[in-house]
Amino acid sequence: MKTIVVTGACGYIGKHVVDALLNRGARVVALDLNEGAKKPGITWVTGNLLDAEFDASVLEEFKPDACLHLAWRNGFNHNAETHMLDLSGHYRFLCKMVGLDIKQIAVMGSMHEVGYWEGPISEETPCNPVSLYGIAKDALRRAFFARVKNEDIIAQWLRGYYIYGDDIASQSIFGKILRADAEGQKTFPFTSGKNKYDFIKVSELGDQIASCLLQDSVQGIINCCSGSPLSLGEAVEGFIAENGLNIKLEYGKFPDRPYDSPGVWGDASKINQIMGA
């Protein structure tokens, strides 16, 4: 079974990916700023991978078969300046992984690389991102594939969509509603709720990402998604009912974001092939 380096292993997505990999018998070398939970099959390495002085050779002793790069700051704040300021650090780290002769490298992407688009997103969909988050992810994807083009490397770009679950710890709309309800708020200011997105539970996303890493026949851009659009209003109303919350949405209090499509979702062809394998 593979030994996989996972960056951002303590993060919102990372914790679920690590569990999914361990459940499948993989060995995990978890890289983060601080150590997380100690479990059989996991070894923790601490360090700031974005630092130019980060010594990637500390990973060599584990003889990793693959690297999954999840680490990213301020993912829920789409116009945080850190997205652009950290970009060279992410690229430098991936170059170090190539230098360690790791034969499979996967990087977490985002549908926000695409920018405004209506309908399903495939790997051929043109990208025109409009947020700093999307711009940085798009630039890293282009640079990553250019860097490994002539290398004997299985390169995977795992494009994420609208993630929920484990919500009390997240900065998503679902986490915000949970906290508002806990504080006794009876209403929650909302958009029109009409936009349709591809929602996926973080635990299911963790399973999909782990499955991508534990196979090597499907490469390139892989949409980690449900493949089915659902309106934001339906998703949140369902979440409120499922969790028995005593809070109502105030539709129209906030405008819809100008860079959000009325309907966008992932083409699930590749992930369905992987999950069905």
Side-chain angles (χ1 to χ4, degrees), residues 15-188:
K15 292 181 289 187
H16 293 273
V17 175
V18 167
D19 284 344
L21 288 169
L22 294 176
N23 289 339
R24 287 161 172 75
R27 292 180 295 172
V28 174
V29 180
L31 174 58
D32 214 316
L33 294 172
N34 301 291
E35 284 193 10
K38 297 183 184 299
K39 301 176 182 179
I42 187 170
T43 301
W44 286 94
V45 176
T46 57
N48 181 3
L49 61 85
L50 294 178
D51 191 330
E53 302 303 316
F54 174 74
D55 184 6
S57 66
V58 299
L59 303 172
E60 285 186 298
E61 65 174 286
F62 304 106
K63 297 180 173 56
D65 301 292
C67 174
L68 169 63
H69 183 43
L70 292 173
W72 197 276
R73 291 198 289 168
N74 298 324
F76 285 104
N77 182 354
H78 290 170
N79 280 307
E81 290 186 345
T82 54
H83 300 311
M84 298 306 299
L85 296 176
D86 291 346
L87 181 55
S88 60
H90 289 289
Y91 178 72
R92 181 171 52 238
F93 173 76
L94 293 175
C95 289
K96 290 178 180 179
M97 295 301 97
V98 174
L100 292 182
D101 200 29
I102 295 177
K103 295 303 184 183
Q104 182 177 3
I105 301 176
V107 186
M108 192 70 203
S110 169
M111 56 84 62
H112 291 289
E113 303 155 36
V114 174
Y116 190 90
W117 185 259
E118 295 184 30
I121 291 174
S122 71
E123 56 188 315
E124 289 83 22
T125 300
C127 292
N128 185 28
V130 293
S131 66
L132 294 182
Y133 177 62
I135 291 167
K137 284 286 189 180
D138 183 53
L140 184 63
R141 176 181 54 80
R142 294 172 186 271
F144 169 57
F145 281 123
R147 175 63 182 82
V148 301
K149 182 177 181 180
N150 297 315
E151 302 282 350
D152 182 23
I153 287 175
I154 297 161
Q156 298 169 315
W157 186 265
L158 310 179
R159 185 171 276 163
Y161 286 74
Y162 284 83
I163 309 162
Y164 71 103
D166 197 10
D167 299 289
I168 198 65
S170 84
Q171 293 302 313
S172 69
I173 183 67
F174 302 101
K176 292 175 181 177
I177 287 174
L178 275 181
R179 290 188 287 274
D181 181 78
E183 292 168 2
Q185 297 182 31
K186 300 303 180 185
T187 59
F188 188 88

